[in-house]
Amino acid sequence: MDFMLLNKSEQTFVDFDVKSEIISKDKFFERAKRYISIDRDTLLHRQSLFSDILKINGLSDFLITLSEKLTAYQPLMKHSQASGSEEKINSVLYPTVYIELVKYIYEILFSFKNQITSKSLNHLYELAKNDIASDEYKRIERYYEKNINRLRSVNSVTIGVNLDALYQPKEAGIISLNKETFKSGDILDRIIKLDFEKDNYHCIAPITVIYKKLSFQESQQVNYAFLKAVGKVLDSGLHHCSNRALNYIREKLAKYFEYLDSLNLVVEAISRIKFFEEKNIPLCFPKISTDRTFKVVSLYDNALCRIKNKKDIVPNTITLENNTCCYILTGPNSGGKTVFINSLAAAQFYFQLGMPVPAKEATFPIYNAIFKISVEEQANINSVGRFEKECISLSEVLKNFTENSLALIDEAFTSTSGEEAVPIAANFIHELCKIGGKCIFITHYHELCEKQPKIKECGEKIGYLHTESYGDLRSYAIQKGKAESCSYAQNIAKKYGL
């Protein structure tokens, strides 16, 4: 089972450049990339999960704690074929972990069961509920209750280390297992606690200081000594589960560990959602577009949300019509054009993970690929090499582009003259329009319009967007229609008295 219902054979994005400025070095997108889905039912299923997380108080804390528990228990599952002393310890730990984990899941989800709508959470609840109701679980629980007090009574160990003439450790072993925990040897800590009494349970120095100095082989000796000592304790009193019972427990635990990978991603997503909530950024679950229309109301840029307050961010409201294939976007430098397409890409990413997006309302199509070509990525290449690299990149886009793809092109062909760049860009846009799909093409060439024969041939498949400036001020708002081509140059010239 998987929280995100990832189908390993399901087709995902052909290309999404997670290292570009779209995400501004956001590691979350890097890790989440493999969970992007193009399946409508999968996205609705995930939206149900994240909707529960948003609505039910305490559910996110439960999932975070569950992730921590499964992560802490994971080494036990990795060493299922242990032998000797380690096997004796595992024979106690397996039933202990199993009982405690199942009880925790059942009791918490039972308190939420009337509010939960997510099939993933309900499946997890039913898994724990059925385990608790089984006769085998009850037998293991009796074993757990019989031995848990003895096992849990070991709260510390006394370790002895013999030294050679140069004070290097030459052998180490456990001297005793103790019910009491050791107390800090830090004098400030003892003053704060008003604890000045010395006994055998006050540390002179942390054991980690000694342990860090041990070589790998020496640390293995310490580990072996520990296992051997604990193994003797187990032999002297604790009853071990039968091999049949241990195999049963391992099989049951494996069902819960199937959740861990996707659960870790959900926990990361929870952190992102809480971040937006703390900044009072609106969140919504986009409706799935049935005709490839893209609509969004008050979309906030993902990257700007991480570095600015809400009041300092200009959200965008835009509709990209179904019958329009390519929107040509113009506007002044630093006017918000690149931020806009990056915000669209990040929101589309969130949407196809099943997460809420930072907007008031939204309707998104499901894209099978997002392609991003950016002038920023070519900045360190000489003009000739850069132009060729752009041509190669755009050619690759055309080869892989489909009617369900999105292309975000930011200032292509700026390394050559406008006289050469405009007809080449027009040809590229014309080829995209023949395929279909959706494209936003940022350019500072205002000549890239219906005056170009290839653009004119596209007819209604071409739309126009622009940003505006008022003197030195930028609106940062994306608007429909063409910009006034000469206004930006005049504003800059006026600024410098020309």
Side-chain angles (χ1 to χ4, degrees):
M1 188 62 185
D2 194 301
F3 266 112
M4 303 292 281
L5 289 182
L6 177 65
N7 181 351
K8 303 291 185 185
S9 62
E10 180 184 303
Q11 182 187 1
T12 55
F13 279 146
V14 175
D15 186 16
F16 190 97
D17 187 1
V18 294
K19 293 182 175 63
S20 75
E21 73 279 4
I22 289 177
I23 58 159
S24 300
K25 300 179 181 178
D26 192 331
K27 296 297 184 183
F28 171 75
F29 289 116
E30 180 77 52
R31 290 186 288 269
K33 180 179 179 180
R34 61 197 175 92
Y35 274 98
I36 292 174
S37 176
I38 60 173
D39 180 68
R40 182 179 182 276
D41 292 336
T42 297
L43 296 184
L44 292 175
H45 193 102
R46 294 174 182 179
Q47 286 186 350
S48 176
L49 170 64
F50 286 111
S51 179
D52 282 349
I53 290 170
L54 282 171
K55 292 176 183 177
I56 303 173
N57 290 331
L59 183 55
S60 60
D61 292 336
F62 160 72
L63 293 172
I64 291 169
T65 302
L66 179 58
S67 173
E68 292 171 349
K69 285 180 178 290
L70 289 174
T71 300
Y73 297 152
Q74 196 173 27
L76 181 66
M77 298 299 292
K78 289 181 177 179
H79 296 95
S80 58
Q81 303 301 319
S83 60
S85 299
E86 190 172 1
E87 182 182 23
K88 294 174 185 176
I89 294 173
N90 288 352
S91 70
V92 176
L93 291 180
Y94 274 119
T96 301
V97 167
Y98 176 59
I99 295 298
E100 292 180 355
L101 183 64
V102 173
K103 273 187 175 180
Y104 175 72
I105 293 171
Y106 175 75
E107 289 174 359
I108 298 297
L109 290 184
F110 178 79
S111 66
F112 297 142
K113 70 183 182 67
N114 294 328
Q115 305 173 66
I116 291 173
T117 61
S118 164
K119 289 182 181 179
S120 291
L121 291 171
N122 276 313
H123 184 277
L124 181 60
Y125 169 71
E126 290 298 325
L127 188 63
K129 178 183 174 183
N130 291 336
D131 276 1
I132 282 180
S134 70
D135 292 337
E136 194 69 31
Y137 177 91
K138 291 171 184 175
R139 282 194 291 271
I140 296 168
E141 187 176 33
R142 286 194 293 271
Y143 167 87
Y144 168 84
E145 291 173 349
K146 183 175 182 179
N147 293 297
I148 189 59
N149 289 335
R150 185 182 179 104
L151 181 68
R152 291 304 192 204
S153 68
V154 179
N155 291 308
S156 68
V157 297
T158 302
I159 295 179
V161 180
N162 289 329
L163 307 177
D164 62 17
L166 298 176
Y167 293 100
Q168 296 295 317
K170 62 179 182 179
E171 41 184 16
I174 289 181
I175 296 174
S176 66
L177 304 178
N178 313 306
K179 293 183 179 180
E180 297 84 353
T181 57
F182 279 97
K183 303 176 182 66
S184 170
D186 185 88
I187 187 65
L188 180 60
D189 187 42
R190 289 163 62 190
I191 291 172
I192 292 172
K193 294 177 181 178
L194 297 178
D195 180 9
F196 298 100
E197 183 179 345
K198 275 203 169 186
D199 56 33
N200 291 331
Y201 293 98
H202 273 97
C203 292
I204 297 174
I207 189 64
T208 51
V209 174
I210 298 174
Y211 192 75
K212 285 178 181 178
K213 293 180 180 179
L214 299 179
S215 67
F216 174 76
Q217 289 183 338
E218 289 167 336
S219 66
Q220 288 295 97
Q221 287 180 320
V222 172
N223 184 52
Y224 173 77
F226 176 78
L227 292 175
K228 186 176 181 180
V230 175
K232 288 181 179 178
V233 174
L234 299 183
D235 279 339
S236 67
L238 295 180
H239 301 283
H240 310 305
C241 279
S242 65
N243 287 334
R244 186 182 68 83
L246 287 176
N247 289 334
Y248 172 86
I249 293 170
R250 280 193 287 263
E251 289 174 6
K252 286 293 183 179
L253 279 174
K255 296 293 183 183
Y256 294 95
F257 278 89
E258 287 178 7
Y259 281 93
L260 182 56
D261 192 50
S262 59
L263 176 58
N264 287 339
L265 180 65
V266 170
V267 167
E268 284 194 78
I270 288 171
S271 175
R272 183 57 52 92
I273 290 169
K274 285 185 174 181
F275 175 81
F276 285 128
E277 288 181 320
E278 288 169 0
K279 289 209 167 187
N280 295 315
I281 303 295
L283 291 169
C284 73
F285 290 98
K287 297 176 182 177
I288 299 176
S289 176
T290 56
D291 62 358
R292 290 182 293 188
T293 297
F294 183 105
K295 297 180 181 179
V296 66
V297 177
S298 295
L299 173 65
Y300 285 79
D301 178 62
N302 173 71
L304 290 182
C305 286
R306 298 204 306 277
I307 60 176
K308 292 187 175 184
N309 294 322
K310 179 183 177 183
K311 64 182 179 62
D312 299 320
I313 304 172
V314 177
N316 269 294
T317 298
I318 198 73
T319 299
L320 305 179
E321 305 293 345
N322 172 41
N323 60 350
T324 303
C325 175
C326 182
Y327 284 90
I328 298 173
L329 172 56
T330 56
N333 291 335
S334 303
K337 302 186 297 296
T338 299
V339 168
F340 171 64
I341 62 171
N342 288 348
S343 67
L344 292 187
Q348 190 72 32
F349 203 124
Y350 284 133
F351 164 61
Q352 291 192 227
L353 286 172
M355 293 173 58
V357 303
K360 289 183 178 179
E361 296 177 28
T363 300
F364 286 0
I366 298 174
Y367 291 121
N368 65 358
I370 292 182
F371 302 97
K372 177 72 163 56
I373 305 297
S374 171
V375 67
E376 298 287 338
E377 296 167 5
Q378 317 299 332
N380 296 322
I381 305 175
N382 64 61
S383 60
V384 176
R386 177 173 156 189
F387 178 75
E388 184 175 4
K389 178 69 168 68
E390 286 178 323
C391 289
I392 293 171
S393 298
L394 291 173
S395 176
E396 287 298 314
V397 171
L398 289 177
K399 287 179 184 177
N400 295 288
F401 203 73
T402 73
E403 62 181 8
N404 293 315
S405 299
L406 173 65
L408 303 169
I409 314 299
D410 190 0
E411 298 283 11
F413 308 123
T414 55
S415 58
T416 189
S417 67
E419 185 179 356
E420 293 178 313
V422 170
I424 296 172
N427 284 336
F428 172 79
I429 291 171
H430 181 265
E431 292 301 313
L432 276 188
C433 287
K434 285 167 59 178
I435 298 170
K438 193 73 69 183
C439 173
I440 298 178
F441 195 101
I442 295 177
T443 182
H444 66 271
Y445 296 125
H446 294 275
E447 304 90 339
L448 190 59
C449 60
E450 68 275 2
K451 292 180 181 179
Q452 292 295 316
K454 288 295 184 180
I455 297 294
K456 189 175 182 178
E457 285 181 28
C458 296
E460 293 183 353
K461 290 185 177 181
I462 299 294
Y464 297 91
L465 302 171
H466 70 279
T467 60
E468 294 183 343
S469 64
Y470 308 96
D472 293 338
L473 299 176
R474 305 287 191 261
S475 69
Y476 302 111
I478 305 298
Q479 300 181 43
K480 288 283 187 74
K482 297 179 183 177
E484 296 180 18
S485 60
C486 63
S487 62
Y488 312 130
Q490 290 174 348
N491 287 335
I492 293 171
K494 184 178 179 180
K495 177 180 178 180
Y496 293 100
L498 299 176

